[in-house]
Amino acid sequence: MTKPISELFDAAAKRAVPVVRGITDDRLSDPTPCTEYDVRDLTNHLIQVLINFQKLAAKEKSDFGAEPHCMEGDWRSRFADEADALVAAWAAPGAEEGTTGSMGFPARTVAGMALGDLTLHAWDLARATGQDFTPDPAVVDEIGPTLAELAPMARKGGVYGEPVEVGEDASALERVLALTGRDPHWRP
């Protein structure tokens, strides 16, 4: 049986929050595997992602194109609070039902996108700042098929890079990273 998406968000958040809390101010200008973002910009983007996907869980309009200003004040605690709010939003009755977002995707697919962003960007930030990160295996199992299905459209839209080749012995996480155009062995 498929786990409720809120349980998967909770598992992903429990792994991502320590990574964000572990980012020191002197690392904010460091590069990340997402070449268009340094650590500050990627963290800012990820907080914006959490906020927008809360809105999508409630079938409200989101604005991913807005310039995010999420790194003011205690942004580490804000990230944790927004991650908790994301879990709660997707636990609300009806969140997984129907469609949501401007493209009318099934809500569970949209949730899979958010789960992928939370997990993969936590990996990006951990790599960029020299931290360990191991996502929950159930989360990786959930995002793999969703992101594979969306990959052609994401590449066309410039969201994913071209897939990276990995060996037959690659882990499930390495395969998902490679699918999205990330080198699983990236180091700053």
Side-chain angles (χ1 to χ4, degrees):
M1 174 162 229
T2 304
K3 279 189 173 189
I5 200 72
S6 61
E7 288 181 22
L8 295 168
F9 275 122
D10 186 54
K14 284 179 178 164
R15 307 277 176 114
V17 167
V19 170
V20 173
R21 288 198 185 280
I23 298 171
T24 57
D25 289 345
D26 63 320
R27 302 300 298 261
L28 291 174
S29 61
D30 287 358
T32 71
C34 300
T35 57
E36 67 275 18
Y37 293 118
D38 63 12
V39 170
R40 175 189 317 276
D41 293 338
L42 184 58
T43 305
N44 194 28
H45 165 74
L46 185 53
I47 295 170
Q48 179 192 38
V49 163
L50 297 179
I51 293 166
N52 276 298
F53 278 107
Q54 291 168 43
K55 292 176 183 178
L56 291 172
K59 312 297 191 275
E60 296 172 1
K61 288 187 178 188
S62 62
D63 187 2
F64 288 93
E67 184 70 29
H69 299 285
C70 304
M71 296 293 289
E72 297 151 356
D74 185 1
W75 53 268
R76 292 170 188 89
S77 291
R78 180 168 187 197
F79 178 84
D81 292 344
E82 297 297 350
D84 287 344
L86 183 71
V87 173
W90 285 97
E96 287 190 58
E97 298 169 12
T99 62
T100 190
S102 63
M103 298 183 75
F105 284 124
R108 182 80 183 203
T109 299
V110 171
M113 291 178 202
L115 192 60
D117 274 2
L118 179 58
T119 303
L120 298 182
H121 287 323
W123 179 89
D124 295 329
L125 291 168
R127 277 297 162 110
T129 59
Q131 299 181 64
D132 290 327
F133 176 73
T134 304
D136 186 285
V139 169
V140 176
D141 289 346
E142 177 75 20
I143 64 175
T146 300
L147 300 185
E149 180 181 331
L150 297 171
M153 182 179 59
R155 273 191 207 91
K156 188 181 249 185
V159 177
Y160 291 174
E162 290 301 314
V164 174
E165 286 191 41
V166 292
E168 290 182 25
D169 61 339
S171 70
L173 174 62
E174 290 170 333
R175 290 182 189 286
V176 172
L177 292 166
L179 169 76
T180 64
R182 289 167 171 83
D183 176 358
H185 304 292
W186 185 91
R187 298 276 181 209

